[in-house]
Structure formats: C-alpha cells, structure tokens
C-alpha cells in the first residue's frame, strides 16, 4: 500500500455511485497524516454524501487552492478496504473491459464492505454455575426476575439468544448484567451467519482424505509448478490433463507449497454448484495447514460475505475457493491462483464489467508475482495459443490415474437410427439397449442433452446438411417470416431452400429437443427406470440440485439426465454409461467457437463415465457423424483437433489470432438501432481508419431480446487497451438517439 506523504493536503477519492470519476478532496486538520490509499471515507458529492475509496494523492496538488475544495467528512476504518494490487487490478479491469471505474470497483469490493457494515455480533446466554438450594431461595425472594432467568437457563441445553430471551421473559438488561457480574450467567458473543455450507460437506464420505502417491506425470507437473513458485516471479502454467488424470491432486500439491511458505492461494471453479464438493475435498486435504478455507460466490448472504472477506483480509483464511468473483479476494501475499476447467465459458461475467475470470486471474498473478495454474482436459484455444507463443508453461497428464481406461466413444448415426425406432426420434435403439443393460447390472447412466443448440438453424434429417454462410464458416439462421437464411455475423442473406441443397430431400426443417421431451420419451421406453432431470430449472434451486446429486450418488436414481452442468467436474464412481442425445446441436450455432464447444462437451461428458473400477461406455447420437469435432473426440485426439481448429481460426482471423471486441446496439425501434449502428461504424472507420478491423454491423443472432432489437459490430485488434480507449473517446463525440443503447464486450464469448 503506497502510504501518502504526511504533509499532503489533497487526495483523490473514487465515490461509489459517482459516475466512475475520481474527485479531489481536502483533508481536514483532524485527519492529516492518517489518510492512506485504499481507505473507506465519506465525502460530500453534489447535495448528498457518499462513501468512497481514497484512490491516491491528487495530481493537481499545489495548483488548486485547498479552500475551494470540499473536505473529507469521515474516515470509516483505519485499515484500507482495498489493497494496492486490487486497486491496480480494478483500474486495469475498467480500461481493458471498457467499464466505468466505479463499476469495476464495485465488482472487486462486496457491497457489505463498501457500505461500511461491521460484523453483527449475536450475544448468547448460558448458565455459568449452578446455585445451591439456599442461594436460589434467597434469589427468588430478593430478585424474582433474576431467578426466572436462572430457571429458564437451567433448562436449556445450548446457549440461547440474549435479546429474544430477555424480551420473552420480560427481564431488563440490568438484571441480566448483574447475574453476569455475579458469575451466575455467562454471555458469549457469536457472529451471525458464519457457518457456510456446513451441511453440504456431508458428501465428503466419497472423498479420500489421505493423499494418494502421485504418479510420474503428476509429480513432473507438480515439480515444474513448484519450481515456478520458488522463482517468486509471475508465471502462467497450463495443466492439460485428460479427465480423471488427477489434476486436483496437482493443484493440492501446489497449494500446500504456498500455504506452508506462509502465502495465500485462490482456487476458482466455473460453477457455484461445484464449490461445496471442491471445498470439502480441499478442507480435508489441507486440514493440517493451519488456515481457514473459505467459500466465495454470488449466493452468499451479506453477513457470510463480510465474514469471509474479513477473514481473508486479516490473513486468517489463506485459501479461498469460489466462482469467478473470488478472483478479487483480498488475501495478502497471494502466491498461487488455480483456475480449474479454465475453458469454461461461465468464467465470463454476463453483466458489466464483462470480465473473464481466467484472464483477470492471469493479470492479477502478474501484479503480485504469483503463479496462475490453468487446468483443463480440453484447454481453450486462447490458452493453447499462449503456450505456443511461449508465454505460458505447460504440463500434460496423458493417462488416467492407475491407468484406468479412457471411456470408448461409439458414434450413432441418427440418420440411420431414426428409421429403426418407431414412434420417436429422440433415443436410438442402441442407446435404449445400453440403458436397459445398465439397469440389469445395477449400474448408473447419465443422459446428456446439448442445450447450447439453436433451434432455428436448418437441418436436413435425411443427409444432415446444414446451410452455412459463404463468408463466415458458421451456420445460417432460418427466418420463418420471410423464408430466408441469414448470417448473423456478417449480414449475408439468401432465400431458404425448399428442398435440401445436399440431397434434394423436401424434409428440411428447423430442429431442437428439450429436456422435458427427453424425459417423457425415457419414461415411455424404459418405464421401470428411476429417472431424474437436472436443468436450468433445478439449477436455480440450490437444495434441489444438491439433493438430486446426493440421491444419485446413493444409487436412488438410475438415469440422471441433464445439460451442460453435468459435464463439469462431477465424479460418480458407479456411472458406466453416458449417452449424448444430440451431439451435433452445438455445432450449428452461429458462433466460430461451435466446433471447440462441441469437442469440449463430448470429451468432458465422456469423462464422467468409468471413473470407478469399471470401464465406461459413451454413446453419441448425431446427425453429422463425420463432423471434425465428433471424429476427433471419438479418437480422443486432442492434438489433431487443436491443429485443425487453430488453422480455421487463423484463416478467418478469429481469436486466438486476434482479440475480438463485440459492440452491441439495442433499442425498441429496429430502424433506429440499425441506423445508429451503421452511422457509428461509418464514423469509426472514418475517424480511426485501421484502428481495428470492423465486421458488420449486422443483426445479432438473438435479434430481439425482451422487446429490444439488437445489432452488433465486431472489431478485431491485437492491442485491446489502445483500441478500447480510442473507441471510447470517439464514442463520446458521436451522439446516439436516446432510444438506442450500446455496450462493448471485450474478448466476447457470448456471440448471441
Ligand atoms: P481430474 O480433476 O483430472 O479429472 P481428479 O483429480 O478428480 O481428476 O482425480 C480423479 C480421482 O483419482 C480422484 O478420486 C482422486 O482422488 C484419484 N487420484 C488422483 N491422483 C491419484 C493417484 N496418484 N493415485 C490414486 N488415485 C488418485
Ligand atoms: Zn439432405
Ligand atoms: Zn456471414
């Protein structure tokens, strides 16, 4: 923390809700020498007062007469609420992701801390000593109220809440305090809302608490990470290990190194639902390291959040596990950041600032000289490009622990299979047979539905043909209203064919299947199976999600069906069959990452099979069995896929060849949106020729969302911060209609 000079008299403060600007304030006499960057202060702003953070010494000092300045009103805590590396991270976040500084700061500082909340202490009472019979008789006569409290407390097994008890018995605080002074009653302070997910750790029975002996590959990976940790300088390291190769053991080894050297670590997981499982495992394996392990994610209450935050800031909790926002944990001496399943799109925040947890992790590691370990069975092309450029180190785990077999993938060509299933075209004969076999053997199955698919694409059920854009290597979207096929990346449009351009079949149509329909079909064809569904509906309800997983573990469910979330890190030893119902659906979304996503999903989902002693089988239903990602996944050929896909990206100039900034324009009036999007892009190209390569504007794939029409333009660049700064400057000059809102998404993942 850069302490300010003691003789300065003006500081810059960033007020919350102040529009993201820093303002200069004078320091009143009483606070001279006490103000440090990062502190929480109260300042006047306009007609009201605001809380804000001291951002630094004023650049204008000496030039401004301090009498004309407003003064800081109050210093909330002596200790800064934000460390220097987090302040720098916040500034970078705002400039890189084109966000106002205060929204970046709000992202990094939980509301409970920003609002200056202190920990609420709940006072509890219990009996401190038993009274002799004569003592008690005296008390009854002299102080009946105290006697009543004594009687009540002597019947309690656990400590009771002080204020409710006193109110309930109509006893004054003074009587109670007298009893405390006399040593008859004890008062204990307990923080409210402190225990986090305690009950969810019940699942820990499935996790080995003792450390397994690392195999050769694991040891080699841990050695190189340890070496980087010992260098004490920033490093990013990709841990590329097949599913079930024991990546988590490598992370644990690295974290043990860090903790035993007195450092702190952050462990990011892609999904809130996965935190309890991971925390349970880490707590057990790191129980001897003398630190609290805290959980951090968006579902915490304000009290839980404040408690965890303080524990981290004070250095009591040196390991935090959480979803993307845990990257802003205020831990001192940060040495290591683990990003598990680094390829997961859920690391990208969906609202401003649209930051990517993995990329922020790498940047924060660079600020503190820490090691960022990015792990995945299917790393993103972005991270692999960084490895190839020599920026990241890499370790590979090519085999499963104890040389367990990789699951075998069997591809089912649905063009043929639908001919053999009477009545329904959702489940093929071989998949139904395989499910029945598992029932007989008392083994479990997972059915996976690929919901990233887009129902409005056109597909031929006879030959699997999907019309694509001649300019963009993505599928065209079918517009029923005017019978056209359009590209939502470049604006290309053509009439929708009445018969399949591939085989001439007249049966071409839009396509899509829901989890509900799958469940109905399943109950019809295998009525004796116990089936449960996990999708967005169940995901929203925290307890239901946990109960379903817990029941599945206990064997109370035969077939678990669900979407993407089943692909993430869950470990079920008795699952020997995984069925992928519609593997190719995600192939045809208008997104240049469609192949990558499909390949990742297949490999990750397949990885859920055969994690116990028995070998696993994976059945993949598809209309396009020869599509590259499906073929590569079948052969478990990651390198082949990577080579192929990287070629495609480079050929089109897509990420990771360059960065993509997506600029979205939306409004209720479609013509206005189009008009301003086009006008702006023309203005940008005139004013800053060559700053970025522009594609579009064109309607977004999701053209209308909540009654708003949406257009987008894509900007490609090698230098994000320079481009973003210039575009923001120009954007100030260009006046939009009030009914048109625009926003920029740097390194966009969601292209809908
Ligand atoms: P990944 O994250 O790579 O999919 P995990 O780290 O979850 O794999 O490991 C899969 C399983 O193998 C876990 O149950 C873990 O306890 C176990 N395991 C990991 N490493 C070893 C090892 N060296 N020897 C035996 N079992 C191991
Ligand atoms: Zn066809
Ligand atoms: Zn196109």
């Amino acid at each position: 923390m850069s302490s300010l000079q003691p003789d300065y008299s003006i500081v810059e403060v960033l007020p919350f809700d102040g529009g993201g600007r820093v303002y200069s304030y004078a320091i009143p006499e009483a606070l001279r020498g006490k103000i440090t960057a990062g502190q929480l202060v109260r300042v006047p702003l306009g007609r009201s007062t605001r809380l804000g953070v001291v951002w630094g010494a004023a650049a204008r000092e000496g030039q401004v007469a301090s009498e004309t300045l407003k003064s800081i009103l109050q210093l909330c805590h002596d200790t800064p609420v934000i460390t220097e590396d987090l302040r720098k991270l916040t500034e970078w976040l705002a400039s890189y992701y084109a966000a106002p500084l205060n929204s970046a700061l709000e992202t990094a500082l939980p509301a409970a801390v920003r609002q200056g909340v202190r920990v609420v202490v709940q006072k509890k009472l219990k009996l401190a000593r038993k009274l002799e019979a004569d003592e008690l008789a005296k008390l009854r006569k002299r102080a009946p109220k105290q006697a009543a409290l004594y009687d009540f407390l002597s019947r309690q097994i656990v400590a009771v809440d002080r204020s409710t008890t006193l109110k309930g018995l109509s006893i004054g605080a003074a009587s109670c305090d007298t009893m405390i002074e006399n040593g008859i009653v004890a008062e204990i302070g307990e923080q409210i809302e402190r225990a986090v997910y305690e009950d969810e750790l019940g699942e820990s029975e499935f996790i080995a608490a003792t450390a397994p002996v690392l195999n050769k590959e694991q040891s080699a990976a841990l050695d190189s990470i340890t070496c980087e940790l010992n260098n004490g300088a920033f490093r990013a390291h990709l841990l590329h290990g097949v599913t079930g190769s024991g990546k988590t053991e490598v992370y644990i080894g690295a974290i043990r190194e860090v903790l035993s050297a007195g450092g702190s670590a952050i462990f990011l997981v892609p999904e809130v639902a996965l935190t309890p499982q991971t925390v349970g495992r880490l707590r057990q394996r790191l129980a001897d390291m003398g630190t609290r392990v805290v959980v951090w994610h968006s579902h915490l209450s304000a009290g839980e959040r404040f408690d965890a935050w303080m524990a981290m800031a004070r250095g009591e909790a040196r390991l935090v596990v959480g979803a993307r926002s845990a990257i802003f944990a205020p831990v001192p001496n940060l040495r290591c950041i683990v990003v598990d399943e680094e390829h997961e799109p859920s690391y990208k925040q969906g609202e401003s600032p649209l930051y990517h947890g993995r990329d922020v992790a790498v940047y924060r590691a660079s600020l503190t000289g820490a090691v960022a370990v990015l792990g995945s069975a299917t790393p993103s092309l972005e991270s692999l490009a960084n490895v190839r450029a020599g920026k990241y180190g890499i370790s590979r785990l090519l085999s499963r622990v104890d040389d367990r077999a990789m699951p075998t993938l069997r591809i089912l060509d649905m063009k043929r299979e639908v001919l053999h299933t009477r009545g329904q075209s959702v489940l093929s004969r071989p998949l139904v047979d395989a499910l029945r076999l598992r029932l007989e053997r008392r083994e479990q199955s997972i059915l996976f539905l690929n919901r990233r698919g887009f129902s409005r694409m056109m597909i031929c059920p006879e030959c699997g043909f999907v019309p694509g854009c001649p300019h963009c290597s993505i599928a065209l979207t079918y517009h029923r209203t005017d019978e056209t096929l359009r590209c939502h990346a470049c604006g290309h449009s053509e009439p929708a064919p009445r018969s399949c351009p591939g085989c001439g079949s007249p049966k071409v149509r839009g396509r899509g299947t829901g989890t509900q329909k799958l469940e109905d079909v399943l109950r019809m064809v295998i009525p004796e199976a116990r089936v449960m569904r996990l999708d967005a509906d169940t995901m929203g309800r925290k307890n239901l999600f946990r109960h379903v997983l817990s029941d599945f573990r206990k064997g109370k469910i035969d077939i678990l069906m669900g979407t993407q979330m089943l692909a993430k890190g869950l470990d079920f030893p008795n699952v020997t069959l995984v069925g992928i119902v519609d593997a190719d659906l995600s192939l045809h979304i208008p997104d240049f990452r469609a192949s990558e996503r499909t390949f990742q999903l297949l490999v990750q989902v397949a990885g859920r099979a055969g994690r116990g002693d028995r070998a696993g089988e994976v059945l993949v239903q598809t209309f396009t069995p020869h599509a590259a990602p499906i073929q590569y996944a079948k052969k478990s050929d990651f390198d082949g896929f990577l080579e192929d896909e990287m070629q495609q990206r480079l050929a089109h100039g897509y990420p990771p060849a360059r960065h993509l900034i997506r600029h979205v324009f939306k409004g209720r009036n479609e013509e206005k949106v189009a008009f301003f999007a086009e006008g702006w892009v023309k203005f940008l190209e005139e004013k800053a020729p060559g700053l970025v390569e522009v594609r579009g504007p064109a309607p977004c794939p999701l053209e209308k969302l909540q009654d708003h029409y949406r257009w987008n333009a894509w900007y490609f660049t090698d230098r994000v911060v320079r481009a973003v700064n210039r575009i923001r400057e120009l954007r100030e000059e260009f006046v939009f209609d009030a009914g048109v809102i625009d926003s920029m998404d740097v390194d966009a993942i969601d292209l809908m």
Side-chain angles (χ1 to χ4, degrees), residues 622-650:
T622 171
F623 282 95
T624 54
H626 300 294
I630 293 175
Q631 284 300 317
Y632 284 119
K634 180 182 174 189
K635 290 180 278 183
S636 290
D637 182 2
F638 186 88
D639 294 334
F641 171 76
L642 175 65
E643 223 35 72
D644 197 333
E645 182 65 15
M646 199 69 97
Q647 286 302 324
Q648 306 262 348
R649 298 285 182 88
L650 297 182

Short mmCIF file of all heavy atoms in Angstrom, two decimals, residues 622-650:
data_model
loop_
_atom_site.label_atom_id
_atom_site.label_comp_id
_atom_site.label_asym_id
_atom_site.label_seq_id
_atom_site.Cartn_x
_atom_site.Cartn_y
_atom_site.Cartn_z
N THR A 622 -25.80 -38.58 -33.25
CA THR A 622 -25.53 -37.39 -34.08
C THR A 622 -26.08 -37.56 -35.50
O THR A 622 -26.19 -38.68 -36.00
CB THR A 622 -24.01 -37.11 -34.17
OG1 THR A 622 -23.79 -36.09 -35.13
CG2 THR A 622 -23.24 -38.34 -34.59
N PHE A 623 -26.45 -36.44 -36.09
CA PHE A 623 -26.85 -36.45 -37.49
C PHE A 623 -25.65 -36.20 -38.39
O PHE A 623 -25.73 -36.35 -39.59
CB PHE A 623 -27.91 -35.36 -37.75
CG PHE A 623 -29.28 -35.76 -37.29
CD1 PHE A 623 -29.73 -35.38 -36.04
CD2 PHE A 623 -30.11 -36.51 -38.11
CE1 PHE A 623 -31.00 -35.74 -35.61
CE2 PHE A 623 -31.38 -36.88 -37.69
CZ PHE A 623 -31.82 -36.50 -36.43
N THR A 624 -24.55 -35.76 -37.80
CA THR A 624 -23.36 -35.45 -38.60
C THR A 624 -22.15 -36.21 -38.04
O THR A 624 -21.26 -35.61 -37.46
CB THR A 624 -23.06 -33.94 -38.58
OG1 THR A 624 -22.99 -33.51 -37.21
CG2 THR A 624 -24.11 -33.14 -39.30
N PRO A 625 -22.15 -37.55 -38.21
CA PRO A 625 -21.10 -38.36 -37.59
C PRO A 625 -19.71 -38.04 -38.11
O PRO A 625 -18.74 -38.35 -37.43
CB PRO A 625 -21.50 -39.80 -37.96
CG PRO A 625 -22.42 -39.67 -39.12
CD PRO A 625 -23.12 -38.36 -38.97
N HIS A 626 -19.61 -37.40 -39.25
CA HIS A 626 -18.28 -37.16 -39.80
C HIS A 626 -17.74 -35.77 -39.48
O HIS A 626 -16.65 -35.42 -39.90
CB HIS A 626 -18.26 -37.42 -41.32
CG HIS A 626 -18.64 -38.84 -41.63
ND1 HIS A 626 -17.85 -39.90 -41.25
CD2 HIS A 626 -19.75 -39.36 -42.20
CE1 HIS A 626 -18.44 -41.03 -41.60
NE2 HIS A 626 -19.59 -40.74 -42.18
N ALA A 627 -18.52 -34.99 -38.74
CA ALA A 627 -18.04 -33.65 -38.38
C ALA A 627 -16.73 -33.77 -37.60
O ALA A 627 -16.56 -34.67 -36.78
CB ALA A 627 -19.09 -32.93 -37.53
N ALA A 628 -15.82 -32.83 -37.86
CA ALA A 628 -14.47 -32.93 -37.30
C ALA A 628 -14.44 -33.09 -35.77
O ALA A 628 -13.78 -34.00 -35.26
CB ALA A 628 -13.64 -31.73 -37.73
N PRO A 629 -15.14 -32.25 -35.01
CA PRO A 629 -15.03 -32.39 -33.55
C PRO A 629 -15.52 -33.75 -33.05
O PRO A 629 -14.98 -34.28 -32.07
CB PRO A 629 -15.90 -31.25 -32.99
CG PRO A 629 -16.61 -30.65 -34.13
CD PRO A 629 -15.96 -31.09 -35.39
N ILE A 630 -16.51 -34.31 -33.71
CA ILE A 630 -17.03 -35.61 -33.28
C ILE A 630 -16.02 -36.71 -33.58
O ILE A 630 -15.74 -37.58 -32.75
CB ILE A 630 -18.40 -35.88 -33.97
CG1 ILE A 630 -19.42 -34.87 -33.42
CG2 ILE A 630 -18.86 -37.32 -33.74
CD1 ILE A 630 -20.78 -34.92 -34.06
N GLN A 631 -15.41 -36.63 -34.74
CA GLN A 631 -14.40 -37.63 -35.10
C GLN A 631 -13.17 -37.54 -34.19
O GLN A 631 -12.66 -38.54 -33.72
CB GLN A 631 -13.99 -37.46 -36.57
CG GLN A 631 -15.04 -38.01 -37.54
CD GLN A 631 -15.29 -39.49 -37.35
OE1 GLN A 631 -14.36 -40.28 -37.18
NE2 GLN A 631 -16.57 -39.89 -37.35
N TYR A 632 -12.72 -36.32 -33.93
CA TYR A 632 -11.55 -36.16 -33.05
C TYR A 632 -11.86 -36.61 -31.63
O TYR A 632 -11.03 -37.23 -30.97
CB TYR A 632 -11.06 -34.71 -33.05
CG TYR A 632 -10.31 -34.33 -34.29
CD1 TYR A 632 -10.77 -33.31 -35.12
CD2 TYR A 632 -9.13 -34.99 -34.65
CE1 TYR A 632 -10.08 -32.96 -36.27
CE2 TYR A 632 -8.43 -34.65 -35.80
CZ TYR A 632 -8.91 -33.63 -36.61
OH TYR A 632 -8.22 -33.29 -37.74
N ALA A 633 -13.07 -36.30 -31.16
CA ALA A 633 -13.45 -36.72 -29.80
C ALA A 633 -13.48 -38.24 -29.73
O ALA A 633 -13.04 -38.84 -28.75
CB ALA A 633 -14.81 -36.14 -29.42
N LYS A 634 -13.97 -38.87 -30.80
CA LYS A 634 -14.03 -40.33 -30.82
C LYS A 634 -12.65 -40.93 -30.66
O LYS A 634 -12.46 -41.91 -29.95
CB LYS A 634 -14.66 -40.78 -32.15
CG LYS A 634 -14.77 -42.29 -32.25
CD LYS A 634 -15.33 -42.74 -33.57
CE LYS A 634 -15.24 -44.26 -33.59
NZ LYS A 634 -15.55 -44.81 -34.88
N LYS A 635 -11.68 -40.32 -31.30
CA LYS A 635 -10.31 -40.84 -31.23
C LYS A 635 -9.54 -40.30 -30.03
O LYS A 635 -8.36 -40.60 -29.88
CB LYS A 635 -9.56 -40.47 -32.52
CG LYS A 635 -10.06 -41.23 -33.73
CD LYS A 635 -9.29 -40.84 -34.99
CE LYS A 635 -9.83 -39.55 -35.58
NZ LYS A 635 -9.20 -39.13 -36.83
N SER A 636 -10.21 -39.47 -29.21
CA SER A 636 -9.52 -38.78 -28.11
C SER A 636 -8.27 -38.06 -28.62
O SER A 636 -7.25 -38.02 -27.96
CB SER A 636 -9.08 -39.76 -27.01
OG SER A 636 -10.18 -40.24 -26.34
N ASP A 637 -8.40 -37.51 -29.81
CA ASP A 637 -7.23 -36.89 -30.45
C ASP A 637 -7.27 -35.38 -30.23
O ASP A 637 -7.69 -34.61 -31.10
CB ASP A 637 -7.23 -37.23 -31.94
CG ASP A 637 -6.01 -36.65 -32.66
OD1 ASP A 637 -5.16 -36.02 -31.99
OD2 ASP A 637 -5.92 -36.83 -33.89
N PHE A 638 -6.81 -34.97 -29.07
CA PHE A 638 -6.85 -33.54 -28.77
C PHE A 638 -5.94 -32.75 -29.70
O PHE A 638 -6.32 -31.71 -30.21
CB PHE A 638 -6.47 -33.27 -27.31
CG PHE A 638 -6.65 -31.83 -26.96
CD1 PHE A 638 -7.86 -31.37 -26.48
CD2 PHE A 638 -5.63 -30.91 -27.16
CE1 PHE A 638 -8.06 -30.02 -26.21
CE2 PHE A 638 -5.82 -29.56 -26.89
CZ PHE A 638 -7.03 -29.13 -26.41
N ASP A 639 -4.75 -33.25 -29.90
CA ASP A 639 -3.79 -32.50 -30.70
C ASP A 639 -4.24 -32.35 -32.14
O ASP A 639 -4.06 -31.30 -32.75
CB ASP A 639 -2.41 -33.16 -30.63
CG ASP A 639 -1.84 -33.09 -29.23
OD1 ASP A 639 -2.22 -32.16 -28.50
OD2 ASP A 639 -1.04 -33.97 -28.86
N GLY A 640 -4.85 -33.42 -32.68
CA GLY A 640 -5.38 -33.36 -34.04
C GLY A 640 -6.46 -32.31 -34.14
O GLY A 640 -6.47 -31.48 -35.07
N PHE A 641 -7.35 -32.32 -33.15
CA PHE A 641 -8.43 -31.33 -33.16
C PHE A 641 -7.87 -29.92 -33.11
O PHE A 641 -8.26 -29.03 -33.85
CB PHE A 641 -9.39 -31.56 -31.99
CG PHE A 641 -10.36 -30.44 -31.84
CD1 PHE A 641 -11.43 -30.33 -32.71
CD2 PHE A 641 -10.18 -29.46 -30.88
CE1 PHE A 641 -12.32 -29.26 -32.63
CE2 PHE A 641 -11.06 -28.39 -30.79
CZ PHE A 641 -12.13 -28.29 -31.67
N LEU A 642 -6.91 -29.76 -32.20
CA LEU A 642 -6.32 -28.44 -31.99
C LEU A 642 -5.70 -27.90 -33.28
O LEU A 642 -5.91 -26.75 -33.66
CB LEU A 642 -5.25 -28.54 -30.91
CG LEU A 642 -4.47 -27.27 -30.66
CD1 LEU A 642 -5.38 -26.19 -30.13
CD2 LEU A 642 -3.34 -27.54 -29.70
N GLU A 643 -4.93 -28.75 -33.96
CA GLU A 643 -4.25 -28.35 -35.18
C GLU A 643 -5.27 -27.87 -36.21
O GLU A 643 -5.13 -26.80 -36.79
CB GLU A 643 -3.51 -29.59 -35.72
CG GLU A 643 -2.13 -29.34 -36.23
CD GLU A 643 -1.37 -28.28 -35.44
OE1 GLU A 643 -0.97 -28.53 -34.28
OE2 GLU A 643 -1.22 -27.20 -36.03
N ASP A 644 -6.28 -28.68 -36.39
CA ASP A 644 -7.34 -28.42 -37.34
C ASP A 644 -8.06 -27.10 -37.01
O ASP A 644 -8.21 -26.21 -37.86
CB ASP A 644 -8.33 -29.60 -37.25
CG ASP A 644 -9.25 -29.68 -38.44
OD1 ASP A 644 -9.50 -28.62 -39.03
OD2 ASP A 644 -9.72 -30.78 -38.76
N GLU A 645 -8.47 -26.99 -35.76
CA GLU A 645 -9.27 -25.83 -35.35
C GLU A 645 -8.43 -24.54 -35.38
O GLU A 645 -8.90 -23.49 -35.80
CB GLU A 645 -9.83 -26.09 -33.95
CG GLU A 645 -10.73 -25.00 -33.40
CD GLU A 645 -12.03 -24.80 -34.18
OE1 GLU A 645 -12.40 -25.69 -34.99
OE2 GLU A 645 -12.66 -23.75 -34.00
N MET A 646 -7.17 -24.66 -34.97
CA MET A 646 -6.31 -23.48 -34.96
C MET A 646 -6.14 -22.95 -36.38
O MET A 646 -6.16 -21.73 -36.61
CB MET A 646 -4.95 -23.83 -34.33
CG MET A 646 -4.15 -22.64 -33.85
SD MET A 646 -4.86 -21.79 -32.41
CE MET A 646 -3.95 -22.49 -31.06
N GLN A 647 -6.00 -23.88 -37.35
CA GLN A 647 -5.90 -23.49 -38.76
C GLN A 647 -7.10 -22.64 -39.18
O GLN A 647 -6.97 -21.61 -39.80
CB GLN A 647 -5.84 -24.73 -39.65
CG GLN A 647 -4.52 -25.48 -39.62
CD GLN A 647 -3.38 -24.58 -40.04
OE1 GLN A 647 -3.53 -23.73 -40.91
NE2 GLN A 647 -2.24 -24.74 -39.38
N GLN A 648 -8.28 -23.15 -38.81
CA GLN A 648 -9.53 -22.46 -39.19
C GLN A 648 -9.58 -21.06 -38.60
O GLN A 648 -9.95 -20.10 -39.27
CB GLN A 648 -10.74 -23.23 -38.64
CG GLN A 648 -10.77 -24.68 -39.03
CD GLN A 648 -11.68 -24.91 -40.22
OE1 GLN A 648 -12.45 -24.02 -40.61
NE2 GLN A 648 -11.61 -26.09 -40.80
N ARG A 649 -9.20 -20.96 -37.33
CA ARG A 649 -9.27 -19.66 -36.66
C ARG A 649 -8.31 -18.68 -37.31
O ARG A 649 -8.65 -17.53 -37.56
CB ARG A 649 -8.92 -19.80 -35.18
CG ARG A 649 -9.83 -20.68 -34.39
CD ARG A 649 -11.17 -20.02 -34.11
NE ARG A 649 -11.96 -20.94 -33.31
CZ ARG A 649 -11.91 -20.99 -31.98
NH1 ARG A 649 -11.14 -20.15 -31.33
NH2 ARG A 649 -12.63 -21.87 -31.33
N LEU A 650 -7.10 -19.16 -37.58
CA LEU A 650 -6.11 -18.27 -38.15
C LEU A 650 -6.55 -17.84 -39.54
O LEU A 650 -6.42 -16.67 -39.91
CB LEU A 650 -4.74 -18.96 -38.21
CG LEU A 650 -4.14 -19.35 -36.85
CD1 LEU A 650 -2.77 -19.98 -37.02
CD2 LEU A 650 -4.05 -18.15 -35.90
#
